[in-house]
Amino acid sequence: MTEDKVLAFIRGSKEEYISGEEISRSLGISRAGIWKYIEKLRRNGYDITALPHLGYRLTHTPDKLIPTEISWGLDTKVMGRTVHCYNSTDSTNRLAYKIAGDGAKHGTVVFAEEQSAGRGRLGRSWSSPKGGIYMSVILRPRLGPQDAQRVTLCAACAAAAAIRKTANLRSEIKWPNDILVNRKKICGILTEMKAEQDRISFIILGIGVNVDPPGHQLPRCATSVRNETKMSGVKVRLAQEILRFLEAYYAKVEKNFGSVIEEWRNFSATLGKRVRVNTHEGMLEGQALDIDEHGALILRLDNGFNKHIISGDVEKCC
Ligand code: BT5
């Protein structure tokens, strides 16, 4: 879109101010046309100072999950190179599933500022007020369905690492898909897939992070970046970090998954602990020993046997 070109031009300028004439000449738009686009950018939350004889200067960018902000400075090769951004939707996972079925490329991401029907696992819901990151990444791994959990573990490492780097918080992973800070959930991951018998056709990796939502709109056991740090205005930066780390971990998902497991162990709030895990076979209790090559949790049961659990819920901590 033309206003994106105008914005990129102002942003990329080495001078403090860039003249309307220069933008006009370079982009082949009239001065009046430039003014129209500046007004549109302002309506989208950009503060642009305009001074006669000097020109334009960008003084504030919105912390919104919109294409211009997500792509600015993003150095990934695949993750997030194509994005679809919504102010509000029911569920980014639902939308991503639909466009993946229509052929959307590996690495495409659907973002929303809020969701009216955010999905958790097993029919649970994900509270999604404004002030969170709601994103769904379309992935096409060359893996069998039994290895889909690997992708969840990559995403958990990426989200935990991004939260540590952006907010300097000690984020930990509760197997399989919860990111906790001070034992409260700050991020959840929902991996959904379409698969044939021995091949995944695509995975929709849904990630929800509480950044600075109104406190009363989160469940009791939840926290947010804002609650923990008082930071605000970090949504875009955090989303970009998630994409960067995801690209790095995902590069190892097919052939070098052992190195992801090692990283995962460093983030784990589960290993070494006595845990109760709700599984489709009922509640299992034991010592959380490790993760296997499929991403399953290895539980040492009280009878001395090891049980590999591919899906389940470790009981809540708070
Ligand atoms: C999850 O499920 O943790 C997966 C959450 C995935 C959300 C993303 S947002 C983008 C994408 N689009 C979607 O529609 N979904 C994905 P689960 O492990 O089932 O946890 C759900 C439980 O977490 C709920 O039953 C609540 O107890 C709790 N919960 C709900 N909303 C929360 C929030 N905002 N923060 C922390 N905990 C929450």
Side-chain angles (χ1 to χ4, degrees):
M1 277 188 289
T2 316
E3 70 264 24
D4 297 347
K5 288 190 188 148
V6 173
L7 177 66
F9 214 81
I10 300 178
R11 242 177 179 169
S13 163
K14 296 215 168 48
E15 307 298 324
E16 198 180 4
Y17 282 86
I18 179 156
S19 74
E21 197 184 320
E22 196 180 334
I23 309 177
S24 167
R25 205 173 345 102
S26 307
L27 297 182
I29 312 167
S30 69
R31 300 279 295 271
I34 304 263
W35 182 251
K36 215 175 64 197
Y37 292 120
I38 297 281
E39 286 293 289
K40 190 161 179 200
L41 287 165
R42 284 177 172 157
R43 283 196 298 276
N44 287 340
Y46 292 90
D47 284 349
I48 300 170
T49 308
L51 287 184
H53 310 302
L54 281 175
Y56 298 106
R57 181 178 161 222
L58 182 64
T59 50
H60 171 82
T61 56
D63 189 35
K64 279 194 193 159
L65 301 168
I66 50 178
T68 41
E69 288 312 293
I70 293 159
S71 62
W72 185 253
L74 183 68
D75 53 5
T76 54
K77 290 204 170 62
V78 180
M79 301 296 169
R81 295 325 310 183
T82 304
V83 295
H84 299 260
C85 299
Y86 294 83
N87 194 25
S88 182
T89 185
D90 52 351
S91 157
T92 54
N93 260 41
R94 187 192 65 75
L95 286 177
Y97 199 96
K98 168 146 196 333
I99 65 171
D102 295 340
K105 274 196 305 213
H106 174 74
T108 300
V109 186
V110 178
F111 283 101
E113 294 282 333
E114 66 179 340
Q115 299 182 118
S116 55
R119 308 210 285 233
R121 294 183 307 144
L122 306 167
R124 292 187 287 245
S125 63
W126 184 254
S127 163
S128 313
K130 275 203 189 313
I133 295 172
Y134 310 108
M135 59 191 278
S136 298
V137 188
I138 295 170
L139 299 169
R140 299 184 182 276
R142 279 163 299 186
L143 293 173
Q146 74 282 2
D147 284 323
Q149 186 76 301
R150 287 188 184 191
V151 175
T152 310
L153 267 54
C154 283
C157 287
I163 291 169
R164 283 194 184 189
K165 184 166 174 200
T166 311
N168 198 18
L169 285 169
R170 219 192 115 60
S171 45
E172 296 182 297
I173 305 172
K174 178 160 82 77
W175 184 87
N177 70 323
D178 291 351
I179 312 298
L180 310 179
V181 169
N182 290 326
R183 303 178 69 194
K184 292 187 166 183
K185 188 159 168 176
I186 197 165
C187 165
I189 294 161
L190 171 67
T191 311
E192 296 181 298
M193 71 172 154
K194 179 158 193 253
E196 286 149 33
Q197 203 170 9
D198 55 356
R199 196 180 68 92
I200 292 174
S201 65
F202 60 78
I203 279 186
I204 306 301
L205 180 64
I207 304 176
V209 192
N210 304 323
V211 185
D212 52 4
H216 60 276
Q217 290 194 28
L218 291 182
R220 196 176 57 83
C221 282
T223 192
S224 66
V225 172
R226 177 84 169 264
N227 272 352
E228 301 293 328
T229 63
K230 307 280 176 272
M231 280 170 111
S232 61
V234 292
K235 218 163 48 179
V236 170
R237 198 144 53 87
L238 182 50
Q240 289 180 326
E241 287 299 345
I242 293 174
L243 291 172
R244 282 195 189 102
F245 279 109
L246 183 63
E247 185 155 295
Y249 287 117
Y250 184 84
K252 302 169 181 168
V253 79
E254 288 168 12
K255 296 217 172 84
N256 189 11
F257 189 61
S259 66
V260 179
I261 295 181
E262 257 170 52
E263 290 275 334
W264 193 93
R265 287 189 190 112
N266 292 331
F267 286 119
S268 171
T270 308
L271 297 186
K273 302 224 171 91
R274 188 168 176 82
V275 292
R276 281 159 59 85
V277 192
N278 206 348
T279 73
H280 64 275
E281 294 173 42
M283 191 65 87
L284 298 172
E285 200 168 332
Q287 172 99 356
L289 284 189
D290 206 353
I291 296 293
D292 73 12
E293 73 277 16
H294 304 293
L297 179 69
I298 309 174
L299 194 68
R300 167 70 52 86
L301 302 173
D302 292 339
N303 63 11
F305 285 100
N306 288 349
K307 177 95 186 163
H308 292 235
I309 305 170
I310 195 70
S311 97
D313 272 314
V314 171
E315 258 196 356
K316 287 206 168 54
C317 328
C318 65

